[in-house]
Amino acid sequence: MKKCIFTLCLFLLPLWGGRVGLLYSIEKVESPSLNLTAYFDVQEGRPVYWLLHKGDTVIRPSHLGLTIRGEKGRTDFNDFGTKERPTEEVNGLLSGFVMTGSERFIHDSWWEPVWGEERRIHDSYHEMLITLTQPAKERYIQIQFRLYDDGLGFRYIFPQQKNLNYFVIEEEQTEFAMPGDITAYWIPGDYDTQEYEYTRSKLSEIRAIQENTNKANLSTTTFSTSGVQTPVLFKTNNGLWMNIHEAALVNYSCMHLNLEDNHVFTSHLTPDIDGTKGHIQTSATSPWRVIMVGETAKDILASRIVLNLNEPCKIEDTSWIKPMKYVGVWWEMIAGMRDWSYTWDFPSIHIGVTDYSKAKPHGRHGATTENVKRYIDFAAKYGFDGVLVEGWNIGWEDWFGNEKDFVYDFVTPYPDFDVEGIHDYAKSKGVKMIMHHETSGAIRNYERWLDTAYQFMRKYEYPAVKSGYVGNILPIGEHHYSQFMNNHYQYCLEKAAKYHLMVNAHEAVRPTGLCRTWPNLIGNESAQGTEYQAFGGSVPNHTTMLPFTRLIGGPMDYTPGIFENDIHKLNPNSHSWCNTTLCNQLSLYVTLYSPLQMAADLPENYERFRDAFQFIVDVPVEWDTVYYLEAEPYEYVTIARKQKDKNAWFIGSTNGYDPRTAMIDLSFLPAGQKYTATIYADAKDAHYRNNPQAYTITTKTVTSKSKLRLFTAAGGGCAIKIVPKQ
Amino acid sequence: MKKCIFTLCLFLLPLWGGRVGLLYSIEKVESPSLNLTAYFDVQEGRPVYWLLHKGDTVIRPSHLGLTIRGEKGRTDFNDFGTKERPTEEVNGLLSGFVMTGSERFIHDSWWEPVWGEERRIHDSYHEMLITLTQPAKERYIQIQFRLYDDGLGFRYIFPQQKNLNYFVIEEEQTEFAMPGDITAYWIPGDYDTQEYEYTRSKLSEIRAIQENTNKANLSTTTFSTSGVQTPVLFKTNNGLWMNIHEAALVNYSCMHLNLEDNHVFTSHLTPDIDGTKGHIQTSATSPWRVIMVGETAKDILASRIVLNLNEPCKIEDTSWIKPMKYVGVWWEMIAGMRDWSYTWDFPSIHIGVTDYSKAKPHGRHGATTENVKRYIDFAAKYGFDGVLVEGWNIGWEDWFGNEKDFVYDFVTPYPDFDVEGIHDYAKSKGVKMIMHHETSGAIRNYERWLDTAYQFMRKYEYPAVKSGYVGNILPIGEHHYSQFMNNHYQYCLEKAAKYHLMVNAHEAVRPTGLCRTWPNLIGNESAQGTEYQAFGGSVPNHTTMLPFTRLIGGPMDYTPGIFENDIHKLNPNSHSWCNTTLCNQLSLYVTLYSPLQMAADLPENYERFRDAFQFIVDVPVEWDTVYYLEAEPYEYVTIARKQKDKNAWFIGSTNGYDPRTAMIDLSFLPAGQKYTATIYADAKDAHYRNNPQAYTITTKTVTSKSKLRLFTAAGGGCAIKIVPKQ
């Protein structure tokens, strides 16, 4: 489907001889429906692009390029009979360019994801491929622009050539010059964590807000008070919505944005251990830099540009990749009711040496055979696919904070966790066990054990693993989002694919649509998840931000479903409070798309609210399509989805701070038929803090002409199941 | 055999309460034959030891201890009802100590190495175990002294305890206060290489010599102009010989020595990537710090203290560990006659992507099937056990200098290397192939491939691997001798043992007797090897130093046997010269003990000197015992060995700069019998530079009463084979 339609000017420098005075015009490319136009120019030797939406500037002229280690200042020409040429100012791959090629391609196709929000995805763009030559260095690079109706993607291409084989990035200097002092929805730039709450502010306020707010903890590594992470959402002063992110982050450093003067963001890569920003061997490409543009916030949700910019699926047989709804031995530990660890007998643990068989259990261990069987029973009773168990393997007594290398072996269970028995029991009940690999950031150790650990999973038929990277990375000095680490996550993912295992990596780099290429990447954390509700509580509107930001790159294992707000009831030492209503929790199963959805609360809390729990029992994890009904980031979001292969629709409306009435237009339903809607709604007096468990469950007959008006409380929401009327 | 004989004073601090004023005397321990006496004392809160040989001081009072990250300056007492106590000056594990225990043990045993210079080794020492408590920190450590007749070993023991679980070493501050301005035989301290030639100088001259000599190259990382590496040899002004090294370097950083004022060496550990010197989790021990003492230089050669201080063999079935004599496709590349690489077609190589099958060979590739078969034929003809082949696997075109991660996969051969065919051919000829794994310092990549690579070796029946670590280590900033890297070498070694594979690691940390515990560590480089004879030439007396220094820790794969001195004959672009006589090369098979001995020169050079080559054909790699006949480091060394299970003796005399007459007393031969000695000797006019290939081969009848006087030329030597007269 890829076709070169015309070539504007493809000049090859004649034997690199002499100073080349190329004539060129400003290059431009338009999106298929012509709503977006991207321009490219070389100005004073530097590449520049800008982006317009229906004539309005959304990205002002912005430089492109990279600085390279050891390549700064004036460059002598190579001695290829060109001695007469003077030295020339060339700074890495930042300047000294002339345009020597400009090609156009059109692409239009549909593809089917292994799992996703929709069964088919439309991939339609116009491409502009610019070739840029540095005569002084006798080398060239390319910049590939793909303009979709929902945004612009571009990336650097570094072709293999005599004078460009290996280089070390000092910094990528891609600019995103914003159209004025617009509104941003952002979290601070950080090399090691995305576990922040979002701030809505003007660009001009970002620095002061960060300077006056200290969110630093052991996990954070900020680099600038004007740094933000991607995906970052914007609303322009003309009412347009934008989101800047990256796609297909492979063998490259994770990009942050740093706000400079004049409302210009520049890319800021996560450093490797030596402070450099990435080692490149040509042929290579950067990830795609993506600027999503929409007239409504719903357009941002509907955009598939990040997936489209990723490579097609590289796994041939994907039959083993199956979305899962699961419960697990997890919230008990997060809430501080139980422990991951088993004993207090040892000052520290030496895996393979410490003898647990003689240790006295402290009695707080969560992952006991008995407790796990309780969850298996619960899962089987309510049709959950899987049971996650954390703290099953030895080493949790001193897993964190010691820069400890050999912290786990990933295969040795605690004495009270019967791997074989649990496997047999789960299997007899038709439930899959979900593996847990906390690495504690000790990368070398994890990679050393990886085959053994994955083989163990195969042996005991665990289809998926939740992996974790809590704490400082070993080798010391590496950051969670560096090229080195991104290569590690990719290594695990590809190896897992060989073993037919699904991966849900927590504390790893945030996703960039790689689940298209590697659909066994079934989930990621990479944002503030539900656990924070037990760590002091999240802000009530946190989940109204996630679909517009974090989820742009791929699904999140947010682990919703907390019915008991008062953590004190689970753990007398805790005074944490889950800042949502119960219906808000229900809504998240629809508004936060994920092929992996947990019901995170304790079985007894679900049994207490058995009627409301029915929505979690009913809600699927596989879908035919999606309808974005309402969207106001920071405030609320309402989404409807059609269950895969079934005539069943599920709606979630997630609300923020202010009580409101959701307007739910059911026109997406096939016309000419009656349906039964089961509506889980906040009671009128519900409130995330004072009355979170006040809800109503009502049944109503609806058609495609129905418009539901549903109250959603502060920190509230509603959830609806619709099926054809019997 | 370990028995506590008496306890001098074992005080336990009563509930850590109150300031403890312990009474103590100076502790001492004497070696079994009473020739050495070690003393210990705590002076102003700091541990101090000193060592006497028959009343003469060999180590003056020297401090012990370590500084710890984050533990400097005054320390507040913990709040265990001890608030009345003042703060106290405690600097890590360096000061603030009181002695709270002193125990004595006697040990006397014999053990049999899997391979070695002798069949049985005597392990006899007196031990003094000192317990040192820091009341201010409510914690304790121990220092374990083992006094042998041939030296002192001591190490730090860090027992697991409530207040000492994890710590990070800032620096080990072990002092070795030398007895005046004595003579040292040293190479510069370096974090990344031991490939230096030795200097003989007074201690007081070390700094000036290093300041005035620039030996820096891409491989070197020096840290101080008064730094030296161990094993380092000394001769005191009273004529005693000493050598300082370490034993059992496991999970710890490699120790160098830095000369401070007043002739005091202090330990200087190789830093990890973050500049710290090691992460310790208790229980733990440091390696042994070893001070060998002898009245003659021969005593240094005869000492087994480094092996004795290592743990017994941890491999149960050692039947697969077999010393080997081998040839290989190697010197051709070292000399620049052939290449490791295959083609010049590619600007750079992407393993798994670059398609070699279509590449044009440059015609200089050494590891071709044809050439390898030539070496197999040669090995079979002359009874060599193995054939090493370097450059057999793809990736050599750009293996070095690019901080490249995925530089090799260790399993994919070049198109002209037929793994299967070579395996079959070698097997049919009774020859084993020796694997080569150059890692290029990319540790993560090697560990990722290690199982696959070892499985490949098993499949094709390679019993041993020569591994290499050329270039800067990845992760960037790590050094070859850091704790991180030492753990890597150990990881490979132990994994290889599981696969029943022998390891010969080049550019790895120098050995510390670990071959006792892991006898599959069949060799190491870790010094300037024969390759330097093709890199410009080594000094003629280089090999007269190795037995007294580098070989103290374990065998070296020195790769002797160069018969053609003029490298120009192999490579027209080279003007390198091998600075030895041919007989010097023969002598090395005896004077440089190794279970792995190469005949490094080309087959055609051996055929040219077929008569002299017979010594290499005859010399074995397994021995019953050894006789050190003459020893003057820097000048000459003469050693005789009895072949294992055979009535055959081999003698080598290796000479340095000055021509001399070796005096070879054959009294080690069983008396009452006649023997035939085949003597390979320098001709009278031989000289390493002018006439290296001038030799005589004579046969003589000898008895145990014979004393041979043999001329050895400048850079010369002689070699003798003795068998019972027929």
Side-chain angles (χ1 to χ4, degrees):
Chain A
M1 286 294 282
K2 199 166 181 182
K3 187 169 66 144
C4 180
I5 47 169
F6 56 108
T7 296
L8 277 192
C9 51
L10 175 58
F11 299 157
L12 287 174
L13 286 180
L15 290 172
W16 307 98
R19 180 120 180 103
V20 180
L22 283 175
L23 294 177
Y24 58 86
S25 56
I26 291 173
E27 300 292 320
K28 80 169 184 178
V29 63
E30 290 173 320
S31 69
S33 75
L34 309 180
N35 62 326
L36 288 173
T37 312
Y39 293 88
F40 179 82
D41 194 9
V42 178
Q43 299 177 353
E44 296 176 352
R46 295 191 62 186
V48 174
Y49 78 102
W50 59 101
L51 180 64
L52 270 60
H53 176 272
K54 297 184 179 171
D56 279 351
T57 296
V58 288
I59 297 288
R60 291 178 292 127
S62 304
H63 289 106
L64 296 168
L66 306 93
T67 46
I68 303 303
R69 188 175 69 182
E71 286 196 19
K72 203 158 234 168
R74 300 188 72 78
T75 300
D76 289 312
F77 281 80
N78 285 332
D79 188 17
F80 289 94
T82 56
K83 277 180 185 167
E84 71 283 1
R85 291 189 294 179
T87 62
E88 183 163 306
E89 191 75 38
V90 177
N91 184 357
L93 293 170
L94 197 68
S95 59
F97 286 106
V98 291
M99 184 163 54
T100 50
S102 172
E103 295 168 87
R104 298 294 185 285
F105 304 92
I106 285 179
H107 180 95
D108 192 291
S109 67
W110 290 82
W111 58 277
E112 294 183 7
V114 174
W115 46 259
E117 296 188 74
E118 297 170 298
R119 293 195 81 131
R120 295 176 78 225
I121 292 177
H122 191 201
D123 185 8
S124 171
Y125 60 82
H126 289 180
E127 178 171 326
M128 169 168 71
L129 180 64
I130 301 288
T131 300
L132 292 168
T133 297
Q134 283 179 315
K137 292 280 193 178
E138 295 179 358
R139 67 186 183 190
Y140 72 105
I141 64 171
Q142 293 180 306
I143 304 178
Q144 188 175 23
F145 294 87
R146 286 188 180 168
L147 199 55
Y148 294 79
D149 285 336
D150 50 348
L152 170 66
F154 63 86
R155 64 175 176 178
Y156 301 94
I157 299 178
F158 310 108
Q160 193 180 49
Q161 59 199 286
K162 184 164 136 282
N163 291 334
L164 192 63
N165 272 302
Y166 291 93
F167 61 91
V168 179
I169 299 173
E170 200 173 270
E171 186 60 276
E172 183 183 318
Q173 306 277 3
T174 302
E175 291 178 353
F176 303 87
M178 309 307 286
D181 189 15
I182 64 177
T183 302
Y185 302 74
W186 55 272
I187 57 174
D190 196 303
Y191 296 154
D192 285 295
T193 182
Q194 288 220 328
E195 298 184 9
Y196 287 100
E197 288 166 344
Y198 289 84
T199 299
R200 178 173 63 182
S201 80
K202 289 290 181 187
L203 294 181
S204 56
E205 297 166 331
I206 291 176
R207 189 184 301 271
I209 290 170
Q210 289 201 45
E211 281 172 359
N212 296 321
T213 322
N214 184 7
K215 297 274 190 187
N217 62 44
L218 278 173
S219 299
T220 57
T221 312
T222 54
F223 54 84
S224 158
T225 53
S226 60
V228 301
Q229 296 192 56
T230 78
V232 53
L233 182 73
F234 303 100
K235 188 174 188 183
T236 72
N237 299 332
N238 291 340
L240 281 178
W241 292 89
M242 295 167 58
N243 188 308
I244 299 181
H245 190 35
E246 63 185 321
L249 172 55
V250 176
N251 196 18
Y252 203 87
S253 161
C254 165
M255 178 182 76
H256 307 278
L257 298 178
N258 195 38
L259 187 64
E260 315 275 357
D261 293 339
N262 202 23
H263 315 313
V264 176
F265 280 108
T266 60
S267 53
H268 179 103
L269 302 182
T270 307
D272 263 324
I273 208 161
D274 62 345
T276 64
K277 301 296 183 88
H279 284 68
I280 306 295
Q281 178 189 356
T282 62
S283 306
T285 62
S286 74
W288 293 93
R289 280 65 188 93
V290 187
I291 303 158
M292 300 163 66
V293 183
E295 294 183 13
T296 69
K298 286 191 255 183
D299 293 338
I300 299 297
L301 299 178
S303 172
R304 301 290 176 257
I305 185 171
V306 169
L307 288 175
N308 278 329
L309 286 168
N310 275 268
E311 295 289 311
C313 181
K314 291 192 176 176
I315 301 174
E316 209 154 312
D317 168 19
T318 58
S319 61
W320 49 274
I321 300 173
K322 290 190 199 312
M324 293 179 86
K325 196 164 57 173
Y326 72 103
V327 293
V329 181
W330 176 73
W331 188 245
E332 300 175 52
M333 284 90 86
I334 291 292
M337 181 182 163
R338 297 204 188 221
D339 283 351
W340 286 268
S341 70
Y342 172 78
T343 179
W344 292 323
D345 272 9
F346 308 112
S348 76
I349 303 300
H350 291 268
I351 300 288
V353 177
T354 302
D355 183 0
Y356 280 97
S357 71
K358 294 174 188 156
K360 186 181 160 212
H362 54 41
R364 293 176 49 82
H365 187 217
T368 66
T369 301
E370 187 190 349
N371 199 31
V372 171
K373 286 187 174 174
R374 193 167 69 97
Y375 278 84
I376 292 171
D377 289 341
F378 183 78
K381 182 174 174 187
Y382 294 111
F384 286 88
D385 304 295
V387 174
L388 166 75
V389 184
E390 295 200 3
W392 69 276
N393 59 322
I394 61 169
W396 286 91
E397 285 73 14
D398 64 346
W399 67 287
F400 181 71
N402 297 309
E403 297 176 353
K404 183 179 179 179
D405 189 34
F406 189 11
V407 64
Y408 297 110
D409 70 4
F410 310 98
V411 293
T412 306
Y414 278 121
D416 58 353
F417 184 88
D418 175 11
V419 177
E420 191 93 34
I422 285 167
H423 163 263
D424 294 347
Y425 190 76
K427 194 164 188 177
S428 76
K429 297 267 183 171
V431 171
K432 300 276 186 195
M433 298 303 299
I434 298 178
M435 177 49 72
H436 183 236
H437 291 167
E438 175 55 50
T439 67
S440 201
I443 300 318
R444 181 167 71 167
N445 182 57
Y446 189 43
E447 291 199 5
R448 285 177 174 182
W449 284 97
L450 200 55
D451 276 292
T452 306
Y454 283 169
Q455 283 156 12
F456 182 94
M457 285 177 64
R458 291 291 298 176
K459 179 176 175 188
Y460 293 108
E461 300 185 87
Y462 288 74
V465 58
K466 173 181 177 180
S467 56
Y469 295 89
V470 171
N472 292 335
I473 299 296
L474 294 181
I476 295 164
E478 277 295 345
H479 294 293
H480 283 71
Y481 307 151
S482 66
Q483 183 191 33
F484 180 91
M485 285 303 296
N486 296 338
N487 286 355
H488 165 79
Y489 308 129
Q490 191 66 24
Y491 175 73
C492 297
L493 185 61
E494 294 188 22
K495 190 181 279 289
K498 285 185 188 152
Y499 285 100
H500 286 196
L501 300 174
M502 297 183 281
V503 174
N504 165 26
H506 283 226
E507 294 90 24
V509 72
R510 78 284 189 275
T512 56
L514 279 171
C515 58
R516 176 181 179 188
T517 314
W518 300 97
N520 64 321
L521 181 59
I522 203 88
N524 274 117
E525 187 183 41
S526 307
Q528 181 168 317
T530 296
E531 62 189 11
Y532 279 76
Q533 300 284 18
F535 298 166
S538 294
V539 290
N541 70 332
H542 182 59
T543 49
T544 69
M545 280 309 308
L546 292 175
F548 305 95
T549 52
R550 162 64 183 78
L551 300 193
I552 292 298
M556 179 177 175
D557 183 31
Y558 182 75
T559 71
I562 302 306
F563 280 13
E564 178 49 66
N565 299 68
D566 187 0
I567 310 304
H568 185 70
K569 288 187 180 167
L570 284 69
N571 170 12
N573 297 318
S574 174
H575 298 284
S576 196
W577 186 268
C578 174
N579 290 316
T580 70
T581 68
L582 192 148
C583 283
N584 174 292
Q585 291 289 325
L586 296 184
S587 73
L588 302 177
Y589 290 89
V590 184
T591 56
L592 304 183
Y593 167 70
S594 177
L596 196 68
Q597 285 285 22
M598 187 178 198
D601 210 337
L602 312 184
E604 50 267 41
N605 290 332
Y606 290 133
E607 300 282 9
R608 271 171 65 207
F609 301 97
R610 179 63 190 86
D611 54 353
F613 180 56
Q614 188 60 39
F615 183 79
I616 299 179
V617 172
D618 290 344
V619 71
V621 286
E622 296 192 88
W623 308 100
D624 274 343
T625 191
V626 58
Y627 309 94
Y628 302 105
L629 304 182
E630 297 185 309
E632 183 58 44
Y634 213 77
E635 305 293 344
Y636 57 83
V637 60
T638 306
I639 297 174
R641 301 184 191 277
K642 178 182 178 298
Q643 185 169 5
K644 188 175 179 184
D645 299 330
K646 291 253 171 76
N647 280 325
W649 291 260
F650 293 80
I651 300 170
S653 181
T654 303
N655 190 32
Y657 282 98
D658 299 325
R660 68 180 285 272
T661 298
M663 306 288 282
I664 300 174
D665 182 339
L666 301 184
S667 58
F668 59 83
L669 291 171
Q673 197 178 342
K674 285 183 178 174
Y675 301 87
T676 303
T678 309
I679 300 167
Y680 303 75
D682 288 329
K684 289 293 167 203
D685 58 349
H687 185 279
Y688 70 87
R689 180 74 222 180
N690 306 323
N691 198 18
Q693 293 161 340
Y695 58 87
T696 62
I697 303 176
T698 53
T699 303
K700 197 169 176 178
T701 299
V702 297
T703 70
S704 66
K705 291 181 183 153
S706 302
K707 288 179 176 51
L708 303 177
R709 296 170 54 92
L710 292 175
F711 170 74
T712 55
C718 66
I720 308 172
K721 179 188 176 189
I722 299 177
V723 291
K725 193 160 182 176
Q726 298 297 322
Chain B
M1 287 295 284
K2 199 167 181 181
K3 187 169 65 141
C4 180
I5 47 168
F6 57 107
T7 299
L8 277 192
C9 51
L10 176 58
F11 300 157
L12 289 174
L13 286 181
L15 290 171
W16 308 98
R19 179 113 179 108
V20 181
L22 281 176
L23 296 175
Y24 57 86
S25 57
I26 292 172
E27 300 291 320
K28 81 169 185 179
V29 64
E30 289 172 320
S31 70
S33 74
L34 310 181
N35 63 326
L36 288 173
T37 313
Y39 293 87
F40 179 81
D41 193 10
V42 178
Q43 298 176 354
E44 297 176 349
R46 295 191 63 187
V48 175
Y49 78 102
W50 58 101
L51 181 64
L52 270 61
H53 176 272
K54 296 184 179 172
D56 279 353
T57 297
V58 288
I59 298 287
R60 291 178 293 126
S62 303
H63 289 106
L64 297 168
L66 305 93
T67 46
I68 303 302
R69 186 174 71 182
E71 287 198 18
K72 204 160 235 168
R74 301 188 70 80
T75 302
D76 288 314
F77 282 81
N78 284 333
D79 188 16
F80 288 94
T82 56
K83 278 181 184 164
E84 72 283 359
R85 290 189 293 180
T87 62
E88 182 163 305
E89 189 74 41
V90 177
N91 184 354
L93 292 169
L94 197 69
S95 59
F97 286 107
V98 291
M99 184 166 53
T100 51
S102 171
E103 293 168 88
R104 298 294 185 285
F105 304 92
I106 284 179
H107 180 93
D108 192 291
S109 67
W110 291 82
W111 59 278
E112 293 183 7
V114 174
W115 46 258
E117 296 189 74
E118 297 170 298
R119 294 195 82 130
R120 295 176 77 226
I121 292 177
H122 191 200
D123 186 9
S124 171
Y125 60 82
H126 289 179
E127 177 171 327
M128 170 167 72
L129 179 65
I130 301 289
T131 300
L132 292 168
T133 296
Q134 283 180 316
K137 292 282 194 177
E138 296 180 358
R139 68 188 183 189
Y140 72 105
I141 65 169
Q142 294 179 305
I143 304 178
Q144 188 174 24
F145 294 88
R146 285 189 179 167
L147 199 56
Y148 294 78
D149 285 335
D150 52 347
L152 170 66
F154 63 86
R155 64 176 176 177
Y156 301 93
I157 299 178
F158 309 108
Q160 193 180 49
Q161 59 199 285
K162 183 165 136 283
N163 291 332
L164 192 63
N165 272 302
Y166 290 93
F167 62 91
V168 179
I169 298 173
E170 199 173 272
E171 186 60 275
E172 183 183 317
Q173 305 277 2
T174 301
E175 293 179 352
F176 302 87
M178 308 306 286
D181 190 14
I182 65 176
T183 302
Y185 302 73
W186 55 273
I187 57 174
D190 196 301
Y191 295 154
D192 285 296
T193 182
Q194 290 220 327
E195 298 182 9
Y196 286 100
E197 289 167 345
Y198 288 85
T199 300
R200 177 172 63 181
S201 79
K202 289 290 181 186
L203 296 181
S204 57
E205 296 167 333
I206 291 176
R207 189 183 302 271
I209 290 170
Q210 290 202 43
E211 281 172 359
N212 296 321
T213 322
N214 185 8
K215 298 276 189 186
N217 61 44
L218 279 174
S219 300
T220 58
T221 312
T222 54
F223 54 85
S224 158
T225 53
S226 61
V228 301
Q229 296 193 56
T230 78
V232 53
L233 182 73
F234 302 100
K235 189 175 188 182
T236 73
N237 298 332
N238 291 339
L240 282 178
W241 291 90
M242 295 167 58
N243 187 309
I244 299 181
H245 190 35
E246 63 183 321
L249 172 56
V250 175
N251 196 19
Y252 203 87
S253 161
C254 166
M255 178 182 76
H256 306 279
L257 299 178
N258 195 37
L259 188 64
E260 314 277 356
D261 292 339
N262 202 23
H263 315 313
V264 176
F265 280 108
T266 59
S267 53
H268 180 104
L269 302 182
T270 307
D272 262 324
I273 210 160
D274 62 345
T276 63
K277 300 298 184 88
H279 284 68
I280 305 296
Q281 178 189 358
T282 63
S283 305
T285 62
S286 73
W288 294 93
R289 280 63 189 95
V290 187
I291 303 157
M292 300 163 64
V293 183
E295 294 184 11
T296 69
K298 286 192 254 181
D299 293 339
I300 300 296
L301 298 178
S303 172
R304 300 292 175 257
I305 186 170
V306 169
L307 288 176
N308 277 329
L309 286 168
N310 274 270
E311 295 288 312
C313 180
K314 291 191 175 174
I315 302 173
E316 209 154 312
D317 167 18
T318 58
S319 61
W320 49 275
I321 300 173
K322 292 193 201 308
M324 294 179 85
K325 197 165 56 175
Y326 72 103
V327 294
V329 181
W330 178 72
W331 189 245
E332 300 175 54
M333 283 89 86
I334 291 291
M337 183 180 161
R338 297 203 186 223
D339 283 351
W340 285 269
S341 70
Y342 173 78
T343 179
W344 291 322
D345 271 9
F346 308 113
S348 76
I349 302 300
H350 291 268
I351 300 288
V353 177
T354 302
D355 184 0
Y356 280 97
S357 72
K358 293 175 187 155
K360 185 180 161 218
H362 54 41
R364 293 177 49 83
H365 187 218
T368 65
T369 302
E370 185 190 352
N371 198 30
V372 171
K373 285 188 175 174
R374 191 168 69 96
Y375 278 85
I376 292 171
D377 289 341
F378 183 77
K381 181 174 176 188
Y382 293 111
F384 286 89
D385 304 296
V387 174
L388 166 76
V389 184
E390 294 199 3
W392 69 276
N393 59 321
I394 60 168
W396 285 92
E397 285 73 13
D398 64 346
W399 67 289
F400 181 72
N402 297 310
E403 297 176 352
K404 182 179 179 179
D405 188 32
F406 190 9
V407 63
Y408 296 110
D409 70 4
F410 309 99
V411 293
T412 306
Y414 278 122
D416 57 354
F417 182 89
D418 174 9
V419 178
E420 192 94 33
I422 285 167
H423 163 264
D424 295 346
Y425 189 75
K427 193 165 186 176
S428 75
K429 296 268 183 172
V431 171
K432 301 276 185 194
M433 298 304 297
I434 298 177
M435 176 50 72
H436 183 236
H437 290 167
E438 175 55 51
T439 67
S440 202
I443 299 319
R444 180 166 72 168
N445 182 56
Y446 189 42
E447 291 199 6
R448 284 177 174 182
W449 284 97
L450 201 55
D451 276 293
T452 306
Y454 283 170
Q455 283 156 12
F456 183 92
M457 285 178 63
R458 292 290 298 176
K459 180 176 176 191
Y460 293 107
E461 301 185 89
Y462 287 74
V465 58
K466 173 181 176 179
S467 57
Y469 295 89
V470 172
N472 291 336
I473 299 296
L474 294 181
I476 296 164
E478 278 294 346
H479 295 293
H480 283 71
Y481 306 152
S482 66
Q483 183 191 33
F484 179 91
M485 285 303 297
N486 296 339
N487 286 355
H488 165 79
Y489 307 128
Q490 190 67 23
Y491 176 74
C492 297
L493 185 61
E494 295 188 22
K495 190 180 278 288
K498 285 184 188 153
Y499 285 101
H500 287 196
L501 299 174
M502 297 183 281
V503 174
N504 165 26
H506 283 226
E507 295 92 24
V509 72
R510 78 283 189 276
T512 56
L514 279 171
C515 58
R516 177 181 177 184
T517 313
W518 300 97
N520 64 321
L521 180 59
I522 203 87
N524 275 116
E525 186 183 41
S526 307
Q528 182 168 316
T530 295
E531 62 189 12
Y532 279 77
Q533 300 284 18
F535 297 166
S538 295
V539 290
N541 70 334
H542 183 57
T543 48
T544 69
M545 281 309 308
L546 293 175
F548 305 95
T549 53
R550 162 64 183 78
L551 299 193
I552 292 298
M556 178 176 176
D557 183 30
Y558 183 76
T559 70
I562 302 307
F563 280 12
E564 178 49 65
N565 298 69
D566 188 0
I567 310 306
H568 186 69
K569 290 188 180 167
L570 284 69
N571 170 12
N573 297 320
S574 173
H575 298 285
S576 197
W577 185 267
C578 175
N579 289 315
T580 70
T581 69
L582 192 150
C583 283
N584 173 292
Q585 290 289 326
L586 296 184
S587 74
L588 302 177
Y589 291 88
V590 184
T591 55
L592 304 182
Y593 167 71
S594 177
L596 196 67
Q597 286 286 22
M598 186 179 200
D601 211 337
L602 312 184
E604 50 267 42
N605 290 332
Y606 290 133
E607 300 280 12
R608 270 172 65 207
F609 301 96
R610 178 63 190 84
D611 54 354
F613 180 56
Q614 188 59 38
F615 184 81
I616 299 179
V617 172
D618 291 343
V619 71
V621 286
E622 296 191 88
W623 308 100
D624 274 343
T625 192
V626 59
Y627 308 94
Y628 303 105
L629 304 182
E630 296 186 309
E632 183 59 42
Y634 213 74
E635 306 291 344
Y636 57 85
V637 59
T638 307
I639 297 174
R641 301 183 190 276
K642 180 182 176 297
Q643 186 170 5
K644 189 176 179 185
D645 299 331
K646 290 255 173 75
N647 280 325
W649 291 261
F650 293 81
I651 300 171
S653 182
T654 303
N655 191 32
Y657 282 98
D658 299 324
R660 68 179 286 273
T661 298
M663 305 288 282
I664 299 175
D665 183 339
L666 300 184
S667 59
F668 60 82
L669 291 170
Q673 198 178 342
K674 286 183 176 174
Y675 302 87
T676 303
T678 309
I679 301 167
Y680 303 76
D682 287 330
K684 288 295 166 199
D685 59 347
H687 184 279
Y688 70 86
R689 181 73 224 179
N690 306 324
N691 198 18
Q693 293 161 340
Y695 59 85
T696 62
I697 303 176
T698 52
T699 304
K700 197 168 173 178
T701 299
V702 297
T703 71
S704 66
K705 291 179 185 157
S706 303
K707 290 179 174 53
L708 302 177
R709 295 169 57 90
L710 293 175
F711 171 74
T712 56
C718 65
I720 308 172
K721 178 189 177 189
I722 300 178
V723 291
K725 193 160 184 176
Q726 299 297 319

